Amino acid sequence: MTLVYERRGSAAQQLADILGPATRVVGSLDELSALLAGNPEELLVVLGAGTDLADAVRFAVAHRITHPALGVVLLREEVDATVLAEALRAGIREVVASAEMLTVRAACERSLALSRLLAKPTWASVPEPEATAPEGGEAKIVTVFAPKGGCGKTTLATNLAVALSAGGAHRVCLVDLDLAFGDVAIMLQLPPDRNIGEAVSIVDRLDETAVRSMLTRYRPGVDTLLAPPTPADGEKVTRGVVTEVLRIARSMFDYIVIDTAPAFNEQVLAALDASHKYVLLAAPDIPTLKNLRVALDTFDLLGFPADRRLVVLNRADAKVGLTAADIARILRTPIAANIPSSRDVPVSINRGVPIVADQPNHPVAKAVRDFAQVSLLREPATAARTPGRRLFGPRKQK
Ligand SMILES: Nc1ncnc2c1ncn2[C@@H]1O[C@H](COP(=O)(O)OP(=O)(O)O)[C@@H](O)[C@H]1O
Ligand SMILES: [Mg+2]
């Protein structure tokens, strides 16, 4: 059931119409809190544009602890950066213009999907990795993630892999975990014949030889583990398969760079579980920043430590009316690196050669190399994720 608080009758009716029959409109925030206390499994609250911002913030702050899986979507007549920043700080998942009905519905669907994932009890039974440092000789795993497509994940992952190999001095494996729409093969012009899909049928007897047989060499020092050629094959690559492949690949490489789908799906979670660093991509536009802020909150909820996150701003110099201060305010996180925007990036992609390899002196190549050097190569390998107990512990009842 979706719970809606909207004081103005006509707006409430309109919301109930677009959100469907499983919607209940309530007349006060106290009533809403009482309902939630009695129904801890509820996953979505929509606060109408008539809600006072301070009340909405108080409500979200109160419920993010008692109902961590609950999503709060806030409607406003106008969405501006200040409201957005304040709302996201309070843990509100989405702020949407109330007049944009399709966007409202889409935001609610996104929030519900995330809540279902967060509430999924099966996660509680997945054994947590030991929070100890990997032994010497084991790869450092770096996952490149963004909650939105088109941010430059695959571009950064491919260039990072080349930068980390330092001309063949390090062994790097680039893993394509965007299993439905993997682009690594296309970006590097590699045949996808060998791919991670082969691990599915032999997951219980995977070893180095088997993993090696799935790799495609890109250049000395850079191997790739590509995505299966069809989304149907990609679906068969479960969390368990990803975990096992990474466990074995770890002893074969110095660095593993993982490109991901723009979603907290089970394969991405397996990658994040195994990772020493999460590179989170931002771009200087409000929807992307907002989604990244939500993703950072989700990282908190899932217990992925803040000190392993590196936020990289792509197309940092794009003239879009957002200042560095706006971006910092919305994200509440320092930016580890700024990558400029350049049309040479898509040109390099069309040629099938990452810009770091093609034009090493290009400002984009330099930015990626500096980031790799400062944030990844010099960092000692530390433990993977610490358990996110908060999410799965017994819920506090009011
Ligand atoms: N710094 C940049 N400057 C210009 N274009 C870029 C830059 N980074 C990425 N792009 C372009 O943006 C598009 C999306 O990048 P991609 O890496 O496929 O994103 P994602 O993997 O996040 O969906 C590509 O066409 C790429 O060429
Ligand atoms: Mg991609």
Side-chain angles (χ1 to χ4, degrees):
M1 171 122 60
T2 299
L3 301 173
V4 174
Y5 166 59
E6 172 58 78
R7 285 180 302 179
R8 300 166 309 174
S10 57
Q13 187 53 49
Q14 209 177 9
L15 275 171
D17 289 345
I18 59 157
L19 297 177
T23 303
R24 173 157 173 193
V25 179
V26 297
S28 78
L29 286 174
D30 287 343
E31 189 186 338
L32 193 53
S33 295
L35 256 176
L36 285 170
N39 300 282
E41 72 288 353
E42 291 297 351
L43 296 179
L44 177 61
V45 162
V46 179
L47 300 178
T51 316
D52 183 64
L53 181 61
D55 288 345
V57 162
R58 257 194 304 278
F59 176 87
V61 167
H63 288 86
R64 79 194 294 185
I65 306 295
T66 53
H67 295 77
L70 180 74
V72 178
V73 171
L74 175 65
L75 309 189
R76 296 281 88 181
E77 260 146 35
E78 261 175 53
V79 181
D80 65 47
T82 312
V83 169
L84 199 55
E86 191 170 346
L88 296 180
R89 205 173 305 129
I92 289 173
R93 272 210 197 129
E94 306 247 3
V95 184
V96 193
S98 52
E100 294 172 17
M101 290 300 171
L102 287 178
T103 316
V104 171
R105 196 159 63 192
C108 289
E109 280 165 7
R110 261 197 311 275
S111 177
L112 269 178
L114 178 59
S115 291
R116 287 193 190 109
L117 206 56
L118 293 175
K120 216 175 179 180
T122 50
W123 285 15
S125 58
V126 175
E128 298 289 351
E130 286 287 307
T132 52
E135 286 169 17
E138 296 218 312
K140 250 172 133 183
I141 303 182
V142 179
T143 294
V144 180
F145 180 75
K148 219 166 159 280
C151 293
K153 285 184 298 297
T154 308
T155 306
L156 182 63
T158 48
N159 278 287
L160 257 188
V162 174
L164 286 170
S165 78
H170 300 129
R171 299 163 301 167
V172 178
C173 184
L174 172 61
V175 180
D176 191 347
L177 277 193
D178 190 350
L179 293 165
F181 302 103
D183 287 334
V184 170
I186 288 178
M187 276 204 192
L188 300 180
Q189 294 185 359
L190 296 170
D193 312 344
R194 299 163 165 214
N195 62 73
I196 194 173
E198 288 157 44
V200 171
S201 57
I202 51 166
V203 67
D204 51 348
R205 48 183 193 282
L206 269 183
D207 58 12
E208 275 198 35
T209 312
V211 170
R212 208 171 290 287
S213 74
M214 296 170 208
L215 300 174
T216 307
R217 164 76 33 122
Y218 171 60
R219 56 190 264 151
V222 183
D223 285 295
T224 62
L225 181 51
L226 299 173
T230 68
D233 290 331
E235 268 177 26
K236 296 181 194 144
V237 181
T238 59
R239 183 177 186 145
V241 171
V242 173
T243 303
E244 187 59 6
V245 168
L246 291 176
R247 187 182 68 78
I248 292 161
R250 224 160 119 169
S251 59
M252 300 163 61
F253 294 93
D254 299 311
Y255 291 91
I256 296 174
V257 178
I258 304 176
D259 184 25
T260 56
F264 282 102
N265 60 29
E266 59 171 324
Q267 298 93 355
V268 169
L269 290 165
L272 293 170
D273 272 346
S275 293
H276 304 94
K277 290 284 175 191
Y278 327 119
V279 175
L280 298 150
L281 262 181
D285 66 82
I286 293 267
T288 304
L289 291 172
K290 185 208 73 178
N291 288 346
L292 183 59
R293 187 55 250 168
V294 175
L296 290 169
D297 289 339
T298 308
F299 271 65
D300 286 339
L301 280 171
L302 298 177
F304 295 117
D307 60 2
R308 310 232 169 96
R309 300 175 205 165
L310 296 162
V311 174
V312 172
L313 186 62
N314 192 18
R315 302 173 211 242
D317 53 346
K319 307 265 181 294
V320 288
L322 274 180
T323 64
D326 289 333
I327 293 173
R329 198 173 60 222
I330 292 172
L331 290 180
R332 280 180 283 132
T333 303
I335 306 287
N338 292 287
I339 299 180
S341 181
S342 166
R343 60 178 295 278
D344 298 331
V345 173
V347 170
S348 73
I349 288 169
N350 291 342
R351 288 160 47 106
V353 188
I355 195 160
V356 166
D358 198 25
Q359 300 177 57
N361 291 322
H362 192 284
V364 170
K366 279 188 179 157
V368 174
R369 245 192 352 260
D370 287 352
F371 169 63
Q373 188 70 37
V374 172
S375 300
L376 301 170
L377 288 169
R378 285 197 200 138
E379 275 280 313
T382 47
R385 167 170 111 123
T386 50
R389 256 173 259 102
R390 237 177 1 131
L391 250 188
F392 308 112
R395 288 209 175 97
K396 250 199 244 163
Q397 301 285 339
K398 271 195 182 170

